[in-house]
């Protein structure tokens, strides 16, 4: 029996890992992930807007002097009536400042001859608000009020750390924002792998059933061996792909990133990880430093991906068994697509449910969601970056793997009947009857 299953596993595995699509996606996925994080920053740093000329008609006389031109916006004062200035075609736009702007700042208007870039609107709004604010403060006749307000201004970055039970142990930095983004990314990766490879099992069975290959194969192997071998073979491809991604991400996190980051920034990252960083003397943005300190922690990344592999195996077996049962019950891909909602909808529900759980990753809703097998892979994976207690992960995995055994057994009973059925698409009631046959 083991040798027969092994042959089926080897065939399914070799058939897929040798495809160019597997090699390309395995290599490009980490590159795409890095590009998504890096390219927005690069575009922001190297993007330049065309010079915009704004004619200013200031009836109040207090705003125009505060408008400072730069490389992107050039302000020119115009004393003509606003109706005449608006006819000018040699400027990008006309800014009108009403006479009572201090009392009525909503009277300010900007007329443009083209689509308005967001940065121009934001710059003008900020300047007008500052002028109005200063004018109103001066009306109180409080001595040195600007100095008092400047002294009262507070700039703060909250440093977050995992509270270790041993006070003498070095603190580990944590970032809720980074954990949130990482959790969403991991859950979406798991969702795609489960959906992609689960449907691959279904499509393979439908194709072989349509070609009548299954009828020949069941003469040599039992239906359960055939189904289990297919699930194992395709699942091995998914695990290998995730392991390759894990190694690449770990290398980027532990080797490539520290070598690319400037030494002075990396020293602050190390200090942040050790809990010794003095934020008052820091030279870089604290959010950036905290994010790098989390994703450059190799053991943190290894732990998360290790658990993710276990949840991929459990979630894949749970859902691929359903896909296998669906594939055996139909004769073409169109019918399979309709019945596959039995497996697809719970996965999508898990993705929706995790969005609520991520708001409070250690709350009761998230905890119990992690224990329900058909959504636990998505929910627990999104919680992993928030340092979930190991006992919760182990209990969740135990329930998931026990459910996998039951689901594979249930799907196998449908599979052994379905592969010999032709002529019409079965109903859910008929599938339930097949599962009850002895």
């Amino acid at each position: 029996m083991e040798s027969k299953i092994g042959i089926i596993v080897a065939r399914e595995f070799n058939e897929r890992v040798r495809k160019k699509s597997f090699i390309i996606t395995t290599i490009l996925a980490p590159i795409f992930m890095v590009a998504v994080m890096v390219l927005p920053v690069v575009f922001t740093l190297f993007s330049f807007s065309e010079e915009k000329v704004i004619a200013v008609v200031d009836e109040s006389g207090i705003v125009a002097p505060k408008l400072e031109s730069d490389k992107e916006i050039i302000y020119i004062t115009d004393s003509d009536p606003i109706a005449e200035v608006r006819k000018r075609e040699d400027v990008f736009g006309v800014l009108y400042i009403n006479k009572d702007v201090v009392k009525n700042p909503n009277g300010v208007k900007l007329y443009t001859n083209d689509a308005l870039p967001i940065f121009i609107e934001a710059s003008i709004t900020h300047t007008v608000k500052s002028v109005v604010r200063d004018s109103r403060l001066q009306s109180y006749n409080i001595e040195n009020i600007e100095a008092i307000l400047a002294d009262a201004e507070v700039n703060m970055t909250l440093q977050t750390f995992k509270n270790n039970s041993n006070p003498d142990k070095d603190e580990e930095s944590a970032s809720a924002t980074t954990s949130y983004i990482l959790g969403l990314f991991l859950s979406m990766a798991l969702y795609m792998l489960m959906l992609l490879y689960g449907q691959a099992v279904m499509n393979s069975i439908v194709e072989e059933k349509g070609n009548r290959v299954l009828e020949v194969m069941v003469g040599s192997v039992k239906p359960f061996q055939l189904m289990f071998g297919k699930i194992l073979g395709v699942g091995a491809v998914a695990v290998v792909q995730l392991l390759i991604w894990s190694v690449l991400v770990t290398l980027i996190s532990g080797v490539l990133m520290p070598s690319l980051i400037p030494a002075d920034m990396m020293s602050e990252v190390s200090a942040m990880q050790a809990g010794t960083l003095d934020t008052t003397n820091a030279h870089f943005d604290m959010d950036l430093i905290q994010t790098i300190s989390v994703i450059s922690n190799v053991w943190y990344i290894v732990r998360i991906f290790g658990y993710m592999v276990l949840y991929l195996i459990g979630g894949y077996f749970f859902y691929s068994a359903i896909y296998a049962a669906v594939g055996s019950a139909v004769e073409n891909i169109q019918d399979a697509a309709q019945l596959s909602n039995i497996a697809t909808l719970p996965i999508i529900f898990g993705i929706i449910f995790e969005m609520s759980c991520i708001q409070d990753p250690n709350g009761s809703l998230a905890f119990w969601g992690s224990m329900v097998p058909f959504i636990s892979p998505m929910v627990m994976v999104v919680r992993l970056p928030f340092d979930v207690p190991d006992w919760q992960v182990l209990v969740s995995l135990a329930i998931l793997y026990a459910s996998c055994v039951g689901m594979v057994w249930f799907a196998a009973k449908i599979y052994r009947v379905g592969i010999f059925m032709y002529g019409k698409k079965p109903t859910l009631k008929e599938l339930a009857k097949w599962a009850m046959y002895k």
Side-chain angles (χ1 to χ4, degrees):
M1 177 178 177
E2 292 180 359
S3 62
K4 293 179 179 179
I5 293 179
I7 293 172
I8 299 171
V9 170
R11 176 189 174 276
E12 296 291 336
F13 180 82
N14 291 329
E15 181 183 354
R16 285 168 174 78
V17 296
R18 291 176 179 176
K19 290 182 177 180
K20 292 182 180 179
S21 58
F22 173 82
I23 299 173
I24 292 173
T25 55
T26 302
I27 296 174
L28 290 184
I31 297 176
F32 174 76
M33 179 189 68
V34 175
V36 167
M37 294 186 294
V38 173
L39 286 181
V41 179
V42 174
F43 290 150
T44 302
L45 292 175
F46 294 98
S47 62
F48 299 97
S49 300
E50 294 181 0
E51 185 180 88
K52 310 291 184 184
V53 179
I54 305 292
V56 182
V57 178
D58 186 5
E59 294 182 352
S60 69
I62 62 173
V63 177
K66 299 292 185 179
L67 294 169
E68 298 181 357
S69 300
D70 54 30
K71 294 180 179 180
E72 297 178 334
I73 311 175
I74 296 179
Y75 296 102
I76 58 174
T77 304
D78 198 314
S79 57
D80 293 336
I82 182 63
E84 294 297 325
V85 180
R86 287 181 59 185
K87 297 178 181 179
R88 294 182 57 173
E89 297 181 357
D90 59 331
V91 296
F92 174 79
V94 178
L95 176 63
Y96 168 74
I97 310 295
N98 52 307
K99 189 174 183 178
D100 59 339
V101 65
V102 175
K103 292 182 179 180
N104 180 28
N106 291 325
V108 177
K109 299 177 181 178
L110 177 63
Y111 304 92
T112 60
N113 298 323
D114 205 345
L116 176 65
I118 294 177
F119 73 90
I120 292 181
E121 181 179 359
S123 176
I124 293 174
T125 302
H126 174 74
T127 302
V128 173
K129 288 173 65 176
S130 298
V131 172
V132 172
R133 171 181 171 275
D134 292 343
S135 298
R136 289 180 177 179
L137 288 174
Q138 290 174 5
S139 66
Y140 289 101
N141 295 321
I142 299 176
E143 187 177 356
N144 297 326
I145 188 171
E146 293 185 1
I148 294 172
L149 291 174
D151 185 62
E153 189 71 26
V154 178
N155 293 319
M156 171 188 166
T157 299
L158 180 64
Q159 298 184 71
T160 56
F161 298 91
K162 298 174 184 176
N163 190 20
N164 299 312
S165 57
N166 184 1
D168 298 327
K169 185 180 178 181
D170 290 340
E171 298 170 312
E172 295 182 30
S173 63
S175 170
T177 302
T178 304
S179 299
Y180 180 91
I181 296 173
L182 184 59
L184 287 179
F185 171 78
L186 293 177
S187 66
M188 292 307 299
L190 185 69
Y191 161 77
M192 289 187 293
L193 287 173
M194 288 169 51
L195 202 62
L196 177 66
Y197 287 103
Q199 290 181 342
V201 172
M202 179 183 69
N203 293 339
S204 175
I205 293 174
V206 171
E207 182 181 351
E208 291 179 354
K209 183 179 179 181
N211 296 334
R212 303 289 176 130
V213 174
L214 288 179
E215 295 181 6
V216 178
M217 296 181 67
V218 293
S220 303
V221 296
K222 295 180 179 179
F224 174 78
Q225 293 175 308
L226 183 58
M227 186 194 79
F228 195 63
K230 281 185 172 294
I231 292 176
L232 281 178
V234 177
V237 179
V239 172
V240 167
Q241 191 168 52
L242 182 58
L243 288 175
I244 293 174
W245 289 348
S246 304
V247 172
L248 291 176
V249 171
T250 303
L251 290 175
I252 292 173
S253 172
V255 179
L256 184 60
M257 184 177 293
S259 64
L260 294 178
I261 296 175
D264 51 348
M265 179 183 286
M266 200 62 204
S267 64
E268 292 190 2
V269 170
S270 301
M272 171 69 76
Q273 291 175 335
T276 58
L277 179 63
D278 182 5
T279 57
T280 58
N281 296 322
H283 299 88
F284 300 94
D285 180 73
M286 284 296 97
D287 292 332
L288 176 62
I289 294 297
Q290 196 163 45
T291 298
I292 295 175
S293 70
V294 172
I295 62 179
S296 62
N297 188 332
V298 175
W299 293 113
Y300 174 79
I301 298 297
V302 169
R303 175 180 179 272
I304 288 178
F305 272 100
Y307 278 136
M308 187 177 175
V309 169
L310 294 177
Y311 275 102
L312 172 63
I313 295 173
Y316 165 79
F317 265 93
F318 188 91
Y319 282 105
S320 63
I322 301 176
Y323 279 117
V326 170
S328 68
V330 297
E331 298 179 44
N332 55 68
I333 297 297
Q334 289 74 22
D335 291 341
Q338 296 175 3
L339 274 180
S340 65
N341 290 330
I342 300 173
T344 305
L345 290 178
I347 298 178
I348 295 175
F349 175 76
I351 294 294
I352 297 173
F353 187 83
E354 76 178 23
M355 301 305 296
S356 300
C357 296
I358 201 172
Q359 303 300 325
D360 185 10
N362 288 314
S364 299
L365 182 66
F367 171 79
W368 290 111
S370 303
M371 302 300 156
V372 179
F374 69 89
I375 63 172
S376 63
M378 286 73 72
V379 175
M380 185 57 87
V381 165
V382 86
R383 295 180 61 204
L384 287 177
F386 293 91
D387 197 28
V388 180
D390 288 334
W391 71 267
Q392 292 187 20
V393 180
L394 295 177
V395 171
S396 174
L397 285 171
I399 296 174
L400 175 61
Y401 277 69
S403 301
C404 287
V405 174
M407 184 57 69
V408 171
W409 173 82
F410 181 80
K413 300 189 73 174
I414 297 176
Y415 182 88
R416 66 178 182 174
V417 178
I419 56 176
F420 298 110
M421 291 293 181
Y422 294 91
K424 72 182 187 75
K425 182 178 68 175
T427 62
L428 294 178
K429 185 177 181 180
E430 289 174 325
L431 291 178
K433 287 184 178 179
W434 293 357
M436 298 299 143
Y437 290 159
K438 294 183 179 180

